[in-house]
Coordinates of all heavy atoms in Angstrom, one line a residue:
L30 N 0.9 -1.2 0.0 CA 0.0 0.0 0.0 C 0.9 1.2 0.0 O 2.0 1.2 0.5 CB -0.9 0.1 1.2 CG -2.2 -0.7 1.3 CD1 -2.9 -0.5 2.6 CD2 -3.1 -0.2 0.2
T31 N 0.4 2.3 -0.5 CA 1.1 3.6 -0.5 C 0.1 4.6 0.2 O -1.0 4.8 -0.3 CB 1.5 4.1 -1.9 OG1 2.4 3.1 -2.5 CG2 2.2 5.4 -1.8
L32 N 0.6 5.2 1.2 CA -0.2 6.3 1.9 C 0.3 7.6 1.4 O 1.5 7.8 1.1 CB 0.0 6.2 3.4 CG -0.3 4.9 4.1 CD1 -0.2 5.0 5.6 CD2 -1.7 4.4 3.7
S33 N -0.6 8.6 1.3 CA -0.3 9.9 0.9 C -0.8 10.9 2.0 O -1.8 10.7 2.6 CB -0.9 10.3 -0.4 OG -0.5 9.4 -1.5
C34 N 0.0 12.0 2.1 CA -0.4 13.0 3.1 C -0.2 14.4 2.4 O 0.9 14.8 2.1 CB 0.5 13.0 4.3 SG 0.3 14.3 5.5
V35 N -1.3 15.1 2.1 CA -1.2 16.3 1.4 C -1.4 17.5 2.5 O -2.3 17.5 3.3 CB -2.4 16.5 0.4 CG1 -2.3 17.8 -0.3 CG2 -2.3 15.4 -0.6
A36 N -0.4 18.4 2.4 CA -0.4 19.5 3.3 C -0.9 20.8 2.6 O -0.3 21.2 1.7 CB 1.0 19.7 3.9
S37 N -2.0 21.3 3.1 CA -2.6 22.5 2.5 C -1.7 23.7 2.5 O -1.7 24.5 1.6 CB -3.9 22.8 3.2 OG -3.7 23.1 4.5
G38 N -0.8 23.7 3.5 CA 0.1 24.9 3.6 C 1.5 24.6 2.9 O 2.4 25.5 3.0
G39 N 1.6 23.4 2.3 CA 2.9 23.1 1.7 C 3.9 22.5 2.7 O 3.7 22.6 3.9
I40 N 4.9 21.8 2.1 CA 5.9 21.2 3.0 C 7.3 21.7 2.8 O 8.3 21.2 3.4 CB 5.9 19.6 2.7 CG1 6.3 19.3 1.3 CG2 4.5 19.0 3.1 CD1 6.5 17.8 1.1
F41 N 7.4 22.8 2.0 CA 8.7 23.3 1.6 C 9.5 23.7 2.9 O 10.7 23.4 2.9 CB 8.6 24.5 0.7 CG 9.9 25.1 0.3 CD1 10.7 24.4 -0.6 CD2 10.3 26.3 0.8 CE1 11.9 25.0 -1.0 CE2 11.5 26.8 0.4 CZ 12.3 26.2 -0.5
R42 N 8.8 24.3 3.8 CA 9.6 24.8 5.0 C 9.5 23.8 6.2 O 10.0 24.1 7.3 CB 9.0 26.1 5.4 CG 9.3 27.2 4.4 CD 8.8 28.6 5.0 NE 9.1 29.7 4.0 CZ 8.4 30.0 3.0 NH1 7.3 29.3 2.7 NH2 8.8 31.0 2.2
A43 N 8.9 22.6 6.0 CA 8.8 21.7 7.1 C 10.2 21.2 7.5 O 11.1 20.9 6.7 CB 8.0 20.5 6.7
A44 N 10.4 21.2 8.8 CA 11.7 20.7 9.4 C 11.7 19.2 9.5 O 12.7 18.5 9.2 CB 12.0 21.3 10.7
V45 N 10.5 18.6 9.8 CA 10.4 17.2 9.9 C 9.1 16.7 9.4 O 8.1 17.4 9.6 CB 10.5 16.7 11.4 CG1 10.2 15.2 11.5 CG2 11.8 17.0 12.0
M46 N 9.1 15.7 8.6 CA 7.9 15.0 8.0 C 8.0 13.6 8.5 O 9.0 12.9 8.4 CB 7.9 15.1 6.5 CG 7.8 16.5 6.0 SD 8.6 16.7 4.4 CE 10.3 16.9 4.9
A47 N 6.8 13.1 9.0 CA 6.9 11.8 9.6 C 5.5 11.1 9.5 O 4.5 11.7 9.3 CB 7.3 11.9 11.1
W48 N 5.6 9.8 9.8 CA 4.4 8.9 9.9 C 4.5 8.2 11.2 O 5.5 7.7 11.6 CB 4.4 7.9 8.8 CG 4.1 8.5 7.4 CD1 5.0 8.9 6.5 CD2 2.8 8.7 6.9 NE1 4.3 9.3 5.4 CE2 2.9 9.2 5.6 CE3 1.5 8.4 7.3 CZ2 1.9 9.5 4.7 CZ3 0.4 8.8 6.5 CH2 0.6 9.3 5.2
Y49 N 3.4 8.2 11.9 CA 3.2 7.4 13.1 C 2.0 6.5 12.9 O 1.2 6.6 12.0 CB 2.9 8.3 14.3 CG 4.1 9.1 14.8 CD1 4.6 10.2 14.0 CD2 4.7 8.8 16.0 CE1 5.7 10.9 14.5 CE2 5.8 9.5 16.4 CZ 6.3 10.5 15.7 OH 7.4 11.2 16.1
R50 N 1.8 5.5 13.8 CA 0.7 4.6 13.7 C 0.2 4.2 15.1 O 1.0 4.3 16.1 CB 1.0 3.4 12.9 CG 2.0 2.4 13.6 CD 2.3 1.3 12.6 NE 3.3 0.3 13.2 CZ 3.8 -0.7 12.5 NH1 3.6 -0.8 11.2 NH2 4.7 -1.5 13.1
Q51 N -1.1 3.9 15.2 CA -1.6 3.5 16.5 C -2.5 2.3 16.2 O -3.5 2.4 15.5 CB -2.4 4.6 17.1 CG -2.9 4.3 18.5 CD -3.4 5.5 19.2 OE1 -3.7 6.6 18.6 NE2 -3.5 5.5 20.5
A52 N -2.1 1.2 16.8 CA -2.9 0.0 16.8 C -3.9 -0.1 17.9 O -3.7 0.6 18.9 CB -2.0 -1.3 16.8
P53 N -5.0 -0.8 17.8 CA -6.0 -0.9 18.8 C -5.4 -1.3 20.2 O -4.7 -2.2 20.3 CB -7.0 -1.9 18.3 CG -6.8 -1.9 16.8 CD -5.4 -1.6 16.6
G54 N -5.7 -0.5 21.2 CA -5.2 -0.8 22.5 C -3.8 -0.4 22.8 O -3.3 -0.7 23.9
K55 N -3.1 0.2 21.8 CA -1.7 0.5 22.0 C -1.5 2.0 21.8 O -2.3 2.7 21.3 CB -0.9 -0.3 20.9 CG -0.9 -1.8 21.1 CD 0.1 -2.4 20.2 CE 0.1 -3.9 20.4 NZ 1.1 -4.6 19.5
D56 N -0.3 2.5 22.3 CA 0.1 3.9 22.1 C 0.5 4.1 20.7 O 0.9 3.2 20.0 CB 1.2 4.2 23.1 CG 0.9 4.1 24.5 OD1 -0.3 4.3 24.9 OD2 1.8 3.9 25.4
R57 N 0.4 5.4 20.3 CA 0.9 5.8 19.0 C 2.4 5.6 19.0 O 3.1 6.0 19.9 CB 0.5 7.3 18.8 CG 0.7 7.7 17.3 CD 0.2 9.1 17.1 NE -1.3 9.1 17.3 CZ -2.1 10.2 17.0 NH1 -1.5 11.3 16.4 NH2 -3.4 10.1 17.2
E58 N 2.9 5.1 17.9 CA 4.3 4.8 17.8 C 4.9 5.4 16.5 O 4.2 5.5 15.5 CB 4.6 3.3 17.8 CG 4.0 2.5 16.6 CD 4.4 1.0 16.6 OE1 5.1 0.6 17.6 OE2 4.1 0.3 15.7
F59 N 6.2 5.7 16.5 CA 6.9 6.2 15.4 C 7.1 5.1 14.3 O 7.3 4.0 14.6 CB 8.3 6.7 15.9 CG 9.2 7.0 14.8 CD1 9.1 8.2 14.1 CD2 10.2 6.1 14.4 CE1 10.0 8.5 13.1 CE2 11.1 6.4 13.4 CZ 11.0 7.6 12.7
V60 N 6.9 5.5 13.1 CA 7.1 4.6 11.9 C 8.3 5.1 11.1 O 9.2 4.3 10.9 CB 5.8 4.5 11.1 CG1 6.1 3.6 9.8 CG2 4.7 4.0 11.9
A61 N 8.3 6.3 10.6 CA 9.3 6.8 9.7 C 9.3 8.3 9.7 O 8.3 8.9 10.0 CB 9.1 6.3 8.3
S62 N 10.5 8.9 9.4 CA 10.6 10.3 9.3 C 11.6 10.7 8.3 O 12.5 9.9 8.0 CB 10.9 10.9 10.7 OG 12.2 10.6 11.1
M63 N 11.5 12.0 7.9 CA 12.4 12.6 7.0 C 12.6 14.0 7.4 O 11.6 14.7 7.6 CB 11.9 12.5 5.5 CG 12.7 13.3 4.5 SD 11.9 13.3 2.9 CE 12.0 11.6 2.4
D64 N 13.9 14.5 7.5 CA 14.1 15.9 7.8 C 14.3 16.7 6.6 O 14.3 16.2 5.5 CB 15.2 16.0 8.8 CG 16.6 15.7 8.3 OD1 16.7 15.6 7.0 OD2 17.5 15.4 9.1
N65 N 14.5 18.0 6.7 CA 14.6 18.9 5.6 C 15.9 18.7 4.8 O 16.1 19.2 3.8 CB 14.4 20.3 5.9 CG 15.3 20.8 7.0 OD1 16.2 20.1 7.4 ND2 15.1 22.0 7.6
G66 N 16.8 17.8 5.4 CA 18.0 17.5 4.7 C 17.9 16.1 4.0 O 18.8 15.5 3.5
A67 N 16.6 15.6 4.0 CA 16.3 14.3 3.4 C 16.9 13.1 4.1 O 16.9 12.0 3.5 CB 16.6 14.3 1.9
R68 N 17.3 13.3 5.3 CA 17.7 12.2 6.1 C 16.5 11.4 6.6 O 15.6 12.0 7.1 CB 18.6 12.7 7.3 CG 20.0 13.2 6.9 CD 20.7 13.6 8.1 NE 20.1 14.8 8.7 CZ 20.6 16.0 8.4 NH1 21.6 16.2 7.6 NH2 20.0 17.1 9.0

C-alpha cells in the first residue's frame, strides 16, 4: 500500500515530516521520518 499526506500549507519549510501509527489498545508509535536534509 502507499499512503499519501497532502499539506494544504505546503511542505517546503517543514523541518520534519513523519508517519506514526496506532494499533487498537496501543500507544501511538513512530514509523518513519524525513528531515529537511532528506535524512
Side-chain angles (χ1 to χ4, degrees):
L30 276 177
T31 300
L32 305 183
S33 300
C34 171
V35 180
S37 60
I40 62 172
F41 179 75
R42 292 184 176 82
V45 174
M46 295 151 278
W48 289 91
Y49 287 74
R50 66 186 182 187
Q51 186 166 18
K55 295 187 177 181
D56 293 334
R57 190 171 298 189
E58 65 173 5
F59 169 80
V60 176
S62 69
M63 173 188 292
D64 66 19
N65 55 9
R68 288 180 290 265

